[in-house]
Amino acid sequence: MASSSASRANTVTGLIQKAASNIYQDNQNLIPDIRTGFKLFKELAVDLEKENESEKLKELDNAHVQLLNAYVDCMNFSSAVQSVAENYQPAPELSDFKKLLATEISNVQANSSGDVQNLQLRHEFKQAIWNVHHSGQPMPGEEQEDIVMTGTQSVLRNITCPISGKRVTELADPVRSMECKHVYEKSAVMDYIKRKRQAAQCPVAACPKILNPKKVVCDPLLLIEIDEMRTQSRATATEVIEDFTELGEE
């Protein structure tokens, strides 16, 4: 009898996890589209600024804030769904999944890094508009050093694979740990996990997370973030070359 009850519990847990996985994947598929939207917003904003379309630019600015909020909500929802699936335990009474999800969303929001990404994406949008007529000059309230620091920041947790030593932008098959968010070359990290077995702690210094092969994946947003890092690197290199050229002319 106990064995039968345990079997039913495992079946229910499996079904819940499968359903949550499907919802998670559907939601994750939206994230690259939202991220692409940020790029299109920035390009359109630059065009409007060049044409001095201040009213249309103001409307676009408001829409940009709304898209940022949707982006953070989407990220938080994905994390909450995943957490509910991982922590679900069958109980004698019926589970209130709506309440469980609401609780997890609140927990995710409280510990979310969305504000950091939000501020960065917002700054990039404002900076692109400002550069149309004030390229090389700090925006009001900022110092030149602030611009340099912000321009070189990335939402990626690490810029090189801690195992292979390759730059993230040069990885042939990048993956990211869903636990600690560090990025690796897939073949290198899978070999590392295989060698370490149950003790495959993330090799990044001071990171306590244990790597699970099922949770080290190429999520929909990773390739976009890596491409953005490549774009930033090319832009920075171009600016440095231009600065040296100007010095040479002087």
Side-chain angles (χ1 to χ4, degrees):
M1 186 69 177
S3 177
S4 177
S5 297
S7 178
R8 284 198 298 271
N10 290 335
T11 299
V12 171
T13 301
L15 290 173
I16 295 298
Q17 290 176 341
K18 183 177 180 180
S21 177
N22 291 336
I23 295 172
Y24 172 84
Q25 191 59 51
D26 288 343
N27 196 64
Q28 284 293 92
N29 289 337
L30 296 174
I31 294 176
D33 293 335
I34 295 176
R35 198 69 182 227
T36 300
F38 287 125
K39 182 179 180 181
L40 296 176
F41 268 49
K42 188 162 58 176
E43 293 173 353
L44 181 55
V46 169
D47 290 339
L48 292 175
E49 179 68 8
K50 288 178 180 179
E51 297 170 3
N52 296 315
E53 295 281 0
S54 57
E55 288 301 317
K56 291 182 180 179
L57 186 57
K58 185 177 180 180
E59 292 178 6
L60 186 67
D61 184 74
N62 292 333
H64 187 263
V65 173
Q66 294 177 19
L67 186 62
L68 278 171
N69 292 333
Y71 173 59
V72 173
D73 288 344
C74 194
M75 297 283 284
N76 290 343
F77 182 77
S78 286
S79 297
V81 168
Q82 186 179 35
S83 182
V84 167
E86 291 176 351
N87 299 320
Y88 173 73
Q89 293 293 334
E93 67 278 4
L94 291 175
S95 298
D96 187 342
F97 288 104
K98 184 177 181 180
K99 183 178 180 180
L100 288 174
L101 184 59
T103 299
E104 286 301 329
I105 288 176
S106 296
N107 292 337
V108 170
Q109 289 174 338
N111 299 288
S112 175
S113 62
D115 287 343
V116 176
Q117 295 187 31
N118 197 324
L119 288 172
Q120 181 178 344
L121 290 166
R122 186 72 179 146
H123 184 278
E124 290 175 0
F125 179 76
K126 291 287 190 180
Q127 186 72 61
I129 298 171
W130 175 259
N131 286 345
V132 172
H133 300 300
H134 309 88
S135 182
Q137 302 176 31
M139 288 194 294
E142 292 187 339
E143 298 296 334
Q144 188 66 36
E145 290 79 5
D146 294 331
I147 293 178
V148 173
M149 287 299 295
T150 305
T152 56
Q153 287 176 347
S154 170
V155 294
L156 295 174
R157 291 290 302 277
N158 51 299
I159 61 175
T160 60
C161 171
I163 301 175
S164 69
K166 293 181 180 179
R167 288 186 62 83
V168 169
T169 52
E170 298 173 356
L171 299 182
D173 195 1
V175 290
R176 175 159 49 195
S177 167
M178 295 167 65
E179 297 289 347
C180 61
K181 307 303 180 183
H182 289 120
V183 179
Y184 318 87
E185 177 71 80
K186 183 176 182 178
S187 59
V189 72
M190 290 304 170
D191 181 62
Y192 173 81
I193 293 173
K194 183 178 180 180
R195 286 187 287 107
K196 295 291 184 177
R197 298 185 180 180
Q198 300 299 322
Q201 182 175 331
C202 175
V204 175
C207 181
K209 298 295 185 180
I210 300 298
L211 299 177
N212 181 332
K214 294 182 179 179
K215 295 184 178 181
V216 180
V217 298
C218 183
D219 59 79
L221 195 56
L222 179 57
L223 297 181
I224 293 176
E225 291 176 351
I226 291 177
D227 188 57
E228 288 175 351
M229 179 181 280
R230 290 194 187 99
T231 301
Q232 287 181 354
S233 298
R234 287 194 294 266
T236 301
T238 300
E239 290 172 2
V240 170
I241 292 173
E242 290 176 349
D243 288 343
F244 274 110
T245 301
E246 291 176 359
L247 288 173
E249 292 175 351
E250 291 177 1

